[in-house]
Amino acid sequence: MRAGIAPQKCSAREVQSGCGGAARSWGNSLAPPPLRGPKVLTIDTMNPTVKKVEYAVRGPIVQRAVELERELSEGMKKPFVEVIRANIGDAHAMGQQPITFFRQVLALCSYPELLNDSTFPEDAKSRAHRILQSCGGNSMGSYSASQGIDSVRQDVARYIERRDGGVSCDPDDIYLTTGASDGIVTMLKLLMCGEGAARTGVMISIPQYPLYSAALAELGAVQINYYLNEENCWSLDITELQRALDEARLHCNPRALCIINPGNPTGQVQSRECIEDVIRFAAKERLFLMADEVYQDNVYADGCQFHSFKKVLFEMGPEYSNTVELASFHSTSKCYMGECGFRGGYMEIINMDDDVKAQLTKLVSVRLCPPVPGQALMDLVVNPPQPGEPSYDNFIKERTATLSVLAEKAKLTEQVLNTVQGISCNPVQGAMYSFPRITIPKKAIEEALDKGQQPDMFYCMKMLEETGICLVPGSGFGQKEGTYHFRMTILPPTDKLQILLNKVKEFHQKFTQQYS
Amino acid sequence: MRAGIAPQKCSAREVQSGCGGAARSWGNSLAPPPLRGPKVLTIDTMNPTVKKVEYAVRGPIVQRAVELERELSEGMKKPFVEVIRANIGDAHAMGQQPITFFRQVLALCSYPELLNDSTFPEDAKSRAHRILQSCGGNSMGSYSASQGIDSVRQDVARYIERRDGGVSCDPDDIYLTTGASDGIVTMLKLLMCGEGAARTGVMISIPQYPLYSAALAELGAVQINYYLNEENCWSLDITELQRALDEARLHCNPRALCIINPGNPTGQVQSRECIEDVIRFAAKERLFLMADEVYQDNVYADGCQFHSFKKVLFEMGPEYSNTVELASFHSTSKCYMGECGFRGGYMEIINMDDDVKAQLTKLVSVRLCPPVPGQALMDLVVNPPQPGEPSYDNFIKERTATLSVLAEKAKLTEQVLNTVQGISCNPVQGAMYSFPRITIPKKAIEEALDKGQQPDMFYCMKMLEETGICLVPGSGFGQKEGTYHFRMTILPPTDKLQILLNKVKEFHQKFTQQYS
């Protein structure tokens, strides 16, 4: 026996005998029967903020689409032979091919034996080698630092510097994330503070990507809607920002302004002037800026160009670049990559208070780290093959092909939809969606409301049942009262997209006739 | 011009001109200067619950370890040549090798061209083929269903049925997750409800894995501590559960009971009797059970065996199996796999109210899906090579080797630590940690408190500075007042572990002498 504080030693077999002697006094035979009655966790006793969460992109319409697919596969007769999912920006599911180089490197990182395989190009091997060297034990199976692998964050910083014409970027301001959603929710979480009229309010565009409304509902924040101007290609008006902010100040504490550029679901690409104005507005009104820039390579329209908030901020001079707090988000899921399943992403934070940053770093450490394959993929996106490297030509060929096809489909979608009486579609300048406005006849609106459905949900559900096309009703993204829309991705292969658009056209005509 | 509701059509070039005319009235030249003053987001105005979060496993001691590594790499002289990280269960980082079969399949899934490569075994190819067939567009780059890939959930269900001797499992009760942490936080989130004395309380063991305390702090729940019995090999006493619960009922609404088995950080393996008692207790007291079973294959001690809560629950008969609500968690990160970086995991939910389950499904859909490579890996874990398949023998050889080495190291750790006067270590029956109790001399305690440090943080920090060994102080996991511990992983390679244990021994002796 050693020092007095030592606990008694005990063998495995001893502890097998149970949970401690006294405790067993109401053991097997004496146990009272378990209480009956309602469950511990019921709809009435669960987290009320979770109940308020809505996420239309995977909502009831998609559940019905899954059912229909099952029914089809079971041989049930339908007026269509397949369900076409145009509800979600899931490029590979719609047939887009991955970039060969990216997948070669991921295979090499997964199974490093392949580094001896002479059929893999040397640049893929050297990228894989560099990534593995940054992993504990040279394995993607190790946890990374919670903020992300150092070398990946360095590559992200260099990418941002190139993208933004040399504006400097500190790898220490980069946090790798589990897709962009993870970073956005984390930043919103940091901003939550106050109760009642002092509760954090967050400005989001309407229409919006419903991750924002869902996260704000779950966090118990106040959602402040500012409306994009559909009549001017979904542009962002500062007067509308001001209106929304002034009204919100009466009942909450507006602290952040979220922008999605290029826009989801609306597909607009913001001009440089607009971004400057937004930054000035944020500075004047002391709002934390959140720039969702996951579609930064998805710009199709002539005369449109992607401008990052970071670049514009820094070009506005130190008066702004030293003060305005900004978080911007990127992802491996969109652009020409479309690698949604890997859940890769990063955020860059600018002008964040050092103490808050330490809290952010602590907060992300609880979840250990973002998935390492997603980090590796993010690294390849920001550090793709360079001129002179063996994979360069093929990489450029694949990337260009994907982006040109998307540009073609953006145009096709706009054109066909605008031929339909009662459908009106702004140009799809960027991103991967169109968000056309639809006329729903009064009789259909009444029937929908009778059924307790939003009129555009009624419309989309009917379209799904009759054509197999799965779209998301505009009400899931928000829209001006009395207007109706749907979101449709431009991702199906061109021939299928053409069929889909024709079916939408036919359906709309039939629907309008039926309810007129 | 078409239907009256149609927005005006506009070209890309028009919208380029800005954010709407009126809005630009305080444009470039007229803009007021941004307000100076504190940032929008400061330590005083950030989310107060985030500030309360602590996560010792990646806390200040690890930050110092990272600094020391950098200093060493810059050529700075230290009393050691390398930092040994025994702070986190990160097997591959400590040299454990991945299972060849798993990595072959992941490489095949990443780069399906390899399906034509004759050097890959046929069973790896058929597994890869099956996984890819379940992915949209046959690509791991597609989003999966939010609950996880159907075929993977089916494989998980069959694994659970085999593991639990035939107790049935419905794939619809399986949710794939981003590591076990994700599932645990999601379940805790659902349980949050009420304010003040009606606020949700959650019972967790002390010592605990600090994910639990961190999540509860962030969610604003009440943490209810029940103490494991160190004197009886960290066993769980029902009397102690009852004491903790009765006291908690005075100030909150206890709704859930969390168990970690095999234990982290304590390494105990619960007996079947103990699990029965816990289930009876949960039934009697109407608590939702959460069983963290990520170390289910990590059982080393003679006479110890892993019993899943699910199996025991169902063997207790319908009185319990039809009523007790249970969520159990598993992961790809531990056991013989150690694939932490892939962030794979699942949870099984039993007896959950249908409406709550619908809410859960909705909630996970907001984050789109768990990383698909992690889902693929989880599939391989639950559906490894079978007898007769080409990879079977090698799989068994690798798995057995890893688990036997871990068992050896568990024993070695206990033995060496127990030779040190002032260190007392319970048997490491399972998991991958020892949590020895240490005697800290009074003078050292005083010096620590003078510095505002926990005595065991002071001890571990000193050990790190003098030996390069990175451990986590017991205070990060919780411990009985007046006792001190550290958590040390048993993961370093045996020869290095031997050196590490000897260094700990020397350090402890020197430290004791210095402060006596």
Side-chain angles (χ1 to χ4, degrees):
Chain A
M1 211 60 206
R2 291 167 306 97
I5 64 144
Q8 294 164 33
K9 291 292 186 294
C10 46
S11 77
R13 204 163 291 279
E14 276 165 1
V15 81
Q16 275 289 85
S17 68
C19 299
R24 303 292 313 283
S25 59
W26 54 270
N28 286 342
S29 55
L30 297 173
L35 290 186
R36 299 293 173 185
K39 291 183 186 282
V40 176
L41 188 58
T42 67
I43 197 79
D44 296 322
T45 64
M46 68 171 282
N47 191 331
T49 64
V50 169
K51 278 189 273 186
K52 290 187 195 138
V53 168
E54 284 180 30
Y55 187 68
V57 175
R58 295 207 148 180
I61 198 135
V62 182
Q63 283 165 30
R64 181 61 190 141
V66 171
E67 274 174 33
L68 285 171
E69 278 171 346
R70 211 200 42 237
E71 290 172 11
L72 277 175
S73 76
E74 287 165 358
M76 216 181 275
K77 265 268 198 257
K78 298 282 166 194
F80 47 88
V81 292
E82 64 167 336
V83 171
I84 304 179
R85 297 201 190 197
N87 61 296
I88 187 166
D90 191 359
H92 291 198
M94 290 287 104
Q96 185 180 308
Q97 292 304 302
I99 297 287
T100 304
F101 178 78
F102 293 176
R103 295 309 197 90
Q104 286 173 329
V105 178
L106 286 168
L108 290 161
C109 289
S110 299
Y111 186 50
E113 281 286 307
L114 292 171
L115 288 165
N116 304 318
D117 183 332
S118 59
T119 60
F120 281 84
E122 285 307 314
D123 49 355
K125 288 186 186 175
S126 72
R127 285 298 192 296
H129 188 70
R130 181 159 181 272
I131 291 167
L132 289 174
Q133 276 203 309
S134 307
C135 293
N138 297 328
S139 168
M140 284 210 298
S142 298
Y143 291 121
S144 74
S146 299
Q147 197 172 343
I149 297 173
D150 279 0
S151 68
V152 178
R153 291 191 292 117
Q154 284 157 16
D155 287 349
V156 169
R158 280 197 291 264
Y159 160 81
I160 292 174
E161 289 179 348
R162 284 195 310 275
R163 182 196 69 187
D164 291 345
V167 175
S168 82
C169 176
D170 183 349
D172 206 41
D173 290 339
I174 305 299
Y175 286 72
L176 298 180
T177 58
T178 306
S181 306
D182 172 43
I184 292 166
V185 172
T186 301
M187 270 312 309
L188 290 174
K189 195 179 281 174
L190 283 183
L191 283 156
M192 291 307 113
C193 187
E195 294 295 328
R199 202 145 56 109
T200 291
V202 176
M203 304 186 73
I204 63 172
S205 61
I206 297 295
Q208 54 120 14
Y209 173 56
L211 167 71
Y212 290 92
S213 50
L216 294 175
E218 196 190 315
L219 292 165
V222 178
Q223 173 180 326
I224 306 170
N225 296 336
Y226 65 89
Y227 289 83
L228 300 176
N229 185 351
E230 183 166 15
E231 280 66 29
N232 190 27
C233 282
W234 297 114
S235 66
L236 194 164
D237 294 345
I238 297 292
T239 39
E240 168 59 10
L241 280 184
Q242 192 73 57
R243 177 207 62 77
L245 182 72
D246 292 346
E247 284 179 20
R249 285 230 159 99
L250 302 175
H251 60 92
C252 73
N253 176 19
R255 304 189 68 200
L257 168 56
C258 301
I259 310 277
I260 312 175
N261 178 50
N264 175 5
T266 39
Q268 84 285 16
V269 176
Q270 286 182 336
S271 68
R272 207 202 130 85
E273 290 76 12
C274 177
I275 293 171
E276 277 189 22
D277 286 350
V278 170
I279 291 172
R280 253 180 233 111
F281 178 81
K284 175 171 86 85
E285 301 292 353
R286 302 195 62 251
L287 296 168
F288 193 107
L289 266 176
M290 291 178 54
D292 181 338
E293 299 177 324
V294 300
Y295 298 99
Q296 54 191 264
D297 294 331
N298 297 111
V299 176
Y300 316 117
D302 286 344
C304 282
Q305 198 190 330
F306 171 72
H307 303 275
S308 80
F309 267 75
K310 161 92 180 283
K311 178 171 193 257
V312 176
L313 176 66
F314 276 74
E315 289 175 355
M316 287 168 73
E319 190 180 12
Y320 293 94
S321 65
N322 290 341
T323 58
V324 175
E325 294 152 75
L326 169 68
S328 72
F329 306 91
H330 196 17
S331 158
T332 58
S333 303
K334 310 298 169 185
C335 299
Y336 63 92
M337 303 81 81
E339 296 275 15
C340 312
F342 281 81
R343 316 307 298 121
Y346 74 75
M347 60 178 174
E348 182 186 15
I349 49 163
I350 314 279
N351 289 322
M352 182 178 272
D353 178 271
D354 285 342
D355 292 337
V356 176
K357 202 168 152 186
Q359 293 285 328
L360 168 61
T361 304
K362 178 192 73 178
L363 182 62
V364 297
S365 78
V366 177
R367 290 297 186 93
L368 298 160
C369 69
V372 174
Q375 295 189 47
L377 189 54
M378 193 78 245
D379 189 56
L380 301 170
V381 170
V382 296
N383 184 21
Q386 297 304 306
E389 289 187 327
S391 303
Y392 180 74
D393 290 344
N394 193 49
F395 167 71
I396 294 294
K397 203 181 90 196
E398 291 177 349
R399 185 179 66 177
T400 310
T402 299
L403 289 174
S404 340
V405 170
L406 283 171
E408 220 174 79
K409 294 192 285 194
K411 199 147 213 167
L412 177 69
T413 303
E414 178 199 346
Q415 281 171 347
V416 176
L417 290 177
N418 277 329
T419 65
V420 188
Q421 178 84 18
I423 295 188
S424 166
C425 181
N426 268 321
V428 182
Q429 299 173 339
M432 14 182 95
Y433 316 98
S434 70
F435 195 70
R437 187 156 162 180
I438 48 175
T439 310
I440 300 187
K442 206 166 153 243
K443 269 214 283 194
I445 294 175
E446 285 164 4
E447 189 170 325
L449 297 176
D450 276 353
K451 289 192 172 183
Q453 268 185 338
Q454 291 290 336
D456 48 12
M457 172 64 91
F458 175 78
Y459 175 96
C460 289
M461 208 51 119
K462 223 172 156 58
M463 188 181 323
L464 175 63
E465 296 288 347
E466 293 181 12
T467 66
I469 296 170
C470 181
L471 307 177
V472 190
S475 46
F477 304 87
Q479 54 200 351
K480 233 185 213 164
E481 180 136 5
T483 70
Y484 303 106
H485 302 78
F486 58 73
R487 186 183 85 164
M488 187 191 115
T489 74
I490 59 167
L491 294 175
T494 311
D495 52 341
K496 202 175 253 187
L497 181 65
Q498 183 73 64
I499 296 170
L500 183 152
L501 289 165
N502 288 338
K503 281 185 164 196
V504 170
K505 185 173 182 165
E506 275 168 41
F507 169 80
H508 187 84
Q509 287 164 343
K510 208 181 120 199
F511 181 89
T512 305
Q513 213 163 22
Q514 187 184 347
Y515 288 98
S516 288
Chain B
M1 211 57 207
R2 291 166 307 99
I5 63 143
Q8 293 164 33
K9 290 292 188 296
C10 47
S11 77
R13 206 165 288 280
E14 276 166 358
V15 81
Q16 274 289 84
S17 68
C19 298
R24 302 293 312 283
S25 60
W26 54 268
N28 285 343
S29 55
L30 297 172
L35 289 187
R36 300 293 173 184
K39 292 181 185 284
V40 175
L41 188 58
T42 66
I43 197 80
D44 296 323
T45 63
M46 68 172 280
N47 191 331
T49 64
V50 170
K51 280 190 272 187
K52 290 187 195 138
V53 168
E54 284 180 30
Y55 187 67
V57 175
R58 295 208 147 178
I61 198 135
V62 183
Q63 284 166 30
R64 181 63 190 141
V66 171
E67 274 174 33
L68 285 171
E69 278 171 347
R70 210 199 45 238
E71 290 172 12
L72 278 175
S73 77
E74 288 165 356
M76 216 181 273
K77 264 271 199 252
K78 299 281 166 196
F80 47 87
V81 292
E82 64 166 338
V83 171
I84 305 179
R85 298 200 189 196
N87 60 295
I88 187 166
D90 192 0
H92 291 197
M94 291 287 103
Q96 185 180 307
Q97 292 304 303
I99 297 287
T100 304
F101 179 78
F102 293 176
R103 295 309 195 90
Q104 286 174 331
V105 178
L106 286 168
L108 290 161
C109 289
S110 299
Y111 186 51
E113 281 287 306
L114 291 171
L115 287 165
N116 304 317
D117 183 332
S118 60
T119 61
F120 280 83
E122 285 309 314
D123 50 353
K125 287 185 187 176
S126 71
R127 285 299 193 295
H129 188 69
R130 181 159 183 270
I131 291 167
L132 289 174
Q133 277 203 307
S134 308
C135 292
N138 296 329
S139 168
M140 284 210 296
S142 299
Y143 291 121
S144 74
S146 299
Q147 196 171 344
I149 297 172
D150 278 0
S151 68
V152 178
R153 292 190 293 116
Q154 285 157 14
D155 287 349
V156 168
R158 280 196 290 264
Y159 161 81
I160 292 174
E161 289 179 348
R162 284 195 310 274
R163 183 197 68 186
D164 291 345
V167 176
S168 82
C169 176
D170 183 349
D172 206 41
D173 290 339
I174 305 297
Y175 286 73
L176 298 181
T177 57
T178 307
S181 306
D182 173 41
I184 292 166
V185 172
T186 301
M187 271 312 308
L188 290 173
K189 195 179 280 173
L190 284 184
L191 283 156
M192 291 308 114
C193 187
E195 295 294 328
R199 202 145 56 110
T200 291
V202 176
M203 304 187 73
I204 63 172
S205 61
I206 298 293
Q208 53 120 12
Y209 173 56
L211 167 71
Y212 290 90
S213 50
L216 294 176
E218 197 189 314
L219 292 166
V222 178
Q223 173 180 326
I224 305 171
N225 297 335
Y226 65 88
Y227 289 82
L228 299 176
N229 186 352
E230 183 165 18
E231 280 66 28
N232 190 28
C233 282
W234 297 114
S235 66
L236 194 165
D237 293 345
I238 298 290
T239 40
E240 168 59 10
L241 281 184
Q242 192 73 59
R243 176 207 62 76
L245 183 72
D246 292 345
E247 285 179 20
R249 286 228 158 99
L250 302 175
H251 61 91
C252 72
N253 177 20
R255 306 189 70 201
L257 168 55
C258 302
I259 309 278
I260 312 174
N261 177 51
N264 174 6
T266 38
Q268 83 285 15
V269 177
Q270 286 182 336
S271 68
R272 207 202 130 84
E273 290 77 11
C274 177
I275 293 171
E276 278 189 21
D277 285 351
V278 169
I279 291 171
R280 252 179 234 111
F281 178 81
K284 175 172 84 88
E285 301 293 352
R286 304 196 60 252
L287 297 167
F288 193 106
L289 266 177
M290 291 178 55
D292 180 340
E293 299 177 324
V294 299
Y295 299 99
Q296 54 191 264
D297 295 330
N298 297 112
V299 176
Y300 317 117
D302 286 344
C304 282
Q305 199 191 327
F306 171 73
H307 304 275
S308 79
F309 267 73
K310 162 92 178 285
K311 176 171 195 257
V312 176
L313 176 65
F314 276 74
E315 290 175 356
M316 286 168 73
E319 188 181 13
Y320 293 94
S321 65
N322 289 342
T323 58
V324 175
E325 294 152 78
L326 168 68
S328 73
F329 306 90
H330 196 17
S331 158
T332 59
S333 303
K334 310 298 169 186
C335 299
Y336 64 93
M337 303 81 82
E339 297 274 16
C340 312
F342 282 80
R343 314 307 299 120
Y346 75 75
M347 59 179 175
E348 182 186 15
I349 50 164
I350 314 277
N351 289 323
M352 183 178 270
D353 177 272
D354 285 342
D355 292 338
V356 176
K357 202 168 152 187
Q359 293 286 328
L360 168 61
T361 304
K362 178 191 74 177
L363 181 62
V364 298
S365 78
V366 178
R367 292 295 188 93
L368 299 161
C369 70
V372 174
Q375 295 187 49
L377 189 53
M378 193 78 244
D379 189 57
L380 301 170
V381 170
V382 296
N383 184 20
Q386 298 303 307
E389 290 187 325
S391 302
Y392 179 73
D393 290 344
N394 192 50
F395 166 71
I396 294 294
K397 203 181 90 196
E398 290 178 348
R399 185 180 68 175
T400 310
T402 298
L403 289 174
S404 343
V405 170
L406 283 171
E408 219 174 79
K409 294 194 284 194
K411 199 147 211 167
L412 177 70
T413 304
E414 178 199 345
Q415 281 171 347
V416 176
L417 289 176
N418 277 329
T419 65
V420 189
Q421 177 84 21
I423 295 187
S424 167
C425 181
N426 268 321
V428 181
Q429 298 172 337
M432 14 181 96
Y433 316 98
S434 71
F435 196 69
R437 186 156 163 183
I438 49 176
T439 310
I440 300 187
K442 206 165 153 242
K443 270 214 283 197
I445 294 175
E446 285 163 4
E447 191 171 321
L449 298 176
D450 277 353
K451 289 191 172 183
Q453 268 184 338
Q454 291 290 336
D456 49 12
M457 172 63 90
F458 175 78
Y459 175 96
C460 289
M461 208 50 118
K462 223 171 157 59
M463 188 181 325
L464 175 63
E465 297 287 347
E466 292 181 15
T467 66
I469 296 170
C470 182
L471 307 177
V472 190
S475 45
F477 305 87
Q479 54 200 351
K480 234 186 213 163
E481 181 137 6
T483 70
Y484 303 106
H485 301 78
F486 58 75
R487 186 184 85 165
M488 187 190 115
T489 74
I490 60 167
L491 295 174
T494 310
D495 53 341
K496 203 177 251 186
L497 181 64
Q498 183 73 65
I499 296 170
L500 183 153
L501 289 165
N502 288 337
K503 280 185 165 196
V504 169
K505 183 174 184 166
E506 275 169 41
F507 169 80
H508 188 84
Q509 288 165 343
K510 211 181 117 197
F511 181 89
T512 306
Q513 211 163 24
Q514 188 184 346
Y515 288 99
S516 290

